[in-house]
Amino acid sequence: QVQLVDAGGGSVQGGGSLRLSCAASGRTFSSLDMAWFRQAPGKEREFVIAITKSSDMAIYVDSVKGRFTISRDNTKNMAYLQMNDLEPEDTAVYYCAAASYIIQGSARNPSTYPYWGQGTQVTVSS
């Protein structure tokens, strides 16, 4: 079993930055692929970005390319989401997620991930 705790959300103005963190426990962190999703009010949960076990590949949606960066530190069982140049459209609850294996065609599917953080609110004002 895996437990995830995500944190770091807050309220910022457009153009600002936030760094989200995800702490994992329960098994070897390096055996998990990691991802971040977000969900805005009235909308479905949306894939944002993912990273493989050894950080050799990242997958992300076009809307965050060049602004968001995912990283991980396997020695600390931590994953991070660095968000720069935030826009009001980025406002959502952000969730950390983990899975044993992801492939190119499944990384964006929430059903791929059996482990989830509780969510952290990100609010970006104009």
Side-chain angles (χ1 to χ4, degrees):
Q1 298 297 318
V2 176
Q3 296 79 45
L4 303 177
V5 178
D6 42 29
S11 181
V12 299
Q13 293 183 323
S17 297
L18 286 172
R19 183 175 174 85
L20 307 184
S21 64
C22 177
S25 63
R27 63 176 294 182
T28 303
F29 181 68
S30 61
S31 68
L32 297 169
D33 295 328
M34 303 296 299
W36 291 90
F37 287 74
R38 64 188 181 187
Q39 187 166 21
K43 297 183 179 180
E44 295 183 353
R45 191 163 298 187
E46 174 192 29
F47 172 81
V48 179
I49 197 166
I51 191 169
T52 54
K53 298 174 177 64
S54 58
S55 299
D56 61 337
M57 182 178 295
I59 303 169
Y60 43 80
V61 295
D62 289 341
S63 61
V64 306
K65 185 178 181 180
R67 300 189 299 121
F68 290 12
T69 303
I70 188 170
S71 62
R72 64 191 297 161
D73 186 342
N74 288 347
T75 68
K76 299 180 179 179
N77 291 354
M78 296 287 291
Y80 306 94
L81 179 62
Q82 179 66 47
M83 303 185 294
N84 298 326
D85 194 22
L86 284 162
E87 304 169 350
E89 293 76 15
D90 297 317
T91 295
V93 177
Y94 283 70
Y95 298 89
C96 177
S100 295
Y101 300 96
I102 60 173
I103 59 176
Q104 187 69 34
S106 64
R108 291 172 169 79
N109 188 347
S111 298
T112 298
Y113 302 89
Y115 311 113
W116 293 85
Q118 80 285 354
T120 183
Q121 176 71 49
V122 172
T123 302
V124 185
S125 60
S126 300

